[in-house]
Amino acid sequence: MIGRVAFSAKLSFRRFSSMFARDALLAWRNGQLAVTLAIMGIMILLVVLLPAQIRTKPNEIILDLMEGKPLYRAALASGANMEAFAADDQELAKRLAGSGTAIGIVARENDIGGAAFELRAGADMPDSALALLEASLDELLRIADGRPSAERFPVESLEPAPRPIALNLKGIPVFLIFEAGILGFLLVAVFIFQEKQEGTIRAYRASPAGALAYAGSKTLVFVLLSVLYGAGVIAAGTVMGARPNLAGTLLTLAGASAAITLGGLGFACYFSNLSGWFFPGLGLLLLNILPFFSYANPAFSPWWMNLIPSYPYLRLTESYFFNPAATPSPTLLWPALAWLAALAAFALVSVKAKLLKEGA
Amino acid sequence: MIRVRDLKHDYEGKGSYAVDGVSFDIEDGAIFGFLGPSGAGKSTVQGLMTGLLGLQKGSIDYDGLSIARLGRSFFENVGVSFEHPNLYAKLSGLENLRYFAGLFSGPTEDPMALLEQVGLRDAAKRRAGAYSKGMKQRLVFARALINKPKILFLDEPTSGLDPSTAELIKGLILQKKAEGCTIFLTTHNMRDADRLSDTVAFLNAGKIVAMGSPRELKLQYGAKSVKLERRVNGSVKEETLFPERPEDAARIKAYLDEGCIETLHSQEATLEEIFIRLTGRTLA
């Protein structure tokens, strides 16, 4: 019994290693390794060349035409950036014309001795920006008049405030999942359509190797490509000051790559060529990109975002990359593992039903 | 032994059968020639016999075991050579064979020795995409032999080959037969089928219209005739006579008595002529 199991394992390993060697060689000769390395190079350049912080000039330019320039004096007294003030109407007009996006605020006394403000903007301002501006000007007037500041609400922090993340490092989780989620999905489809076009899949059908070895060898190639790519991007991030949980980040990346490759492989089985796949495939790619927007703007996190495969992997990567002591959150880990299992099952069923049968 | 019974296959499920009631047996170590024009259903039958198409109606048994019960291990002892070369264009000939050899659990042929046998040794390290059509065909044939198969499915194995290479391949087919390999040969080349097959079956519109050894078919469907040339007044005259007709038998005897016959050949119907006679179609 043990001997039979050992023989079976040896045979499976021989078959798998033969297929892996072929797929790896094809990935090299098809230029997939080169594409991955080129994109890795671009991402590394972004990490290295993007600034840690973007310093912006004041976007509001104030012209204080009130008697005694109370706003100007209040700002000066409170140590504010005085570049925000224009000396006269001419300077204001010149600076507004030069900026394009700046907002001009002209303060005058009204008929009853109060302050009136005229806004000069190139476009309509959103209500939220107007409200913020109003609050800022109100605070400035309070300081100028020597009145107490508006009531402040007490703020209690439940956890220590997180360290601000440098801009050039902030994008790294997206850069990492981009390769697995986008390139992996696309490149594995190219691989399968090449085999269909060359007819080699027909030869494979007439061999004893089955769906598991077929899906497994391709997945391993793409996981290794992802890990190689990830290692380069993570190394660049580390050089630029990040202190990631390396094992956690790479394992998450490998899981993401395996899940998306298997999903892409299963999906490609239902199409005969790249042109038939293109629009449905593009739709899925766009769907898989949505979590990137949620990551950039966390306010955009509708409930269904959790149902997109790349979402838990992106959030896990973020957690591991920026927090070396992170323990995986069950609300992210379980969906990630569930996606991996579901997409593996989908790939195996699809390969068996659609690739290993003629005319299916 | 391979036993096929009442095989039917309908691709669209609308009662239009691409293969309709096909039955035959193939003895171990025999070459079974499966002949028919394009669209006759040859590839469908081969697809069903290799399990690549799902069995709808009828039965296919290998040594008494239904193909429906054979798993993928069935392919351990099967070699399939496809009509259209299907190779990894970016792998060399040697890499194509090495990769395929790795898929089998049993002993396999030495890839380089196989390439030598099909005349591709010098091109072993060249990418298959750069091969000519004939070279690709030979490589596909070599790949079918890599696992030392007991059953070979060959689909137009000499298609696109020059005469000397075709002879080489036919020699290898006969060698495999001599080694005990059972061969299912799909072709529309009647000469190849005649020379190689122990049994041939004519397939037309999904049905077998005639089956037997090439000799049996020729005797059954062909008229026995002789073609002779005799000298008459200094010039050579050609005649075809049918010995089973009393008047023609008498003429042949008379010519022999006269001693005027210069050449005398027995005339057999070719398989192609029989096919045309049975179906009204050519094989092209």
Side-chain angles (χ1 to χ4, degrees), chain A residues 20-34:
Chain A
F20 171 72
R22 174 208 60 182
D23 286 333
L25 196 57
L26 287 173
W28 163 258
R29 291 190 183 159
N30 285 339
Q32 280 154 333
L33 179 64

Side-chain angles (χ1 to χ4, degrees), chain B residues 1-7 22-27 49 58-67:
Chain B
M1 180 178 176
I2 304 172
R3 171 171 285 199
V4 175
R5 286 291 176 273
D6 201 22
L7 211 54
V22 166
S23 299
F24 56 84
D25 293 334
I26 308 176
E27 295 293 334
M49 289 181 73
S59 64
I60 301 168
D61 296 345
Y62 287 87
D63 293 331
L65 209 58
S66 169
I67 192 165

Side-chain angles (χ1 to χ4, degrees), chain A residues 22 29 195 205 209 358, chain B residues 52 72 88 90 95 99:
Chain A
R22 174 208 60 182
R29 291 190 183 159
E195 287 190 339
R205 285 174 190 147
E358 297 262 308
Chain B
L52 297 176
R72 296 202 68 77
Y88 284 101
K90 291 188 177 170
E95 286 165 345
Y99 151 65

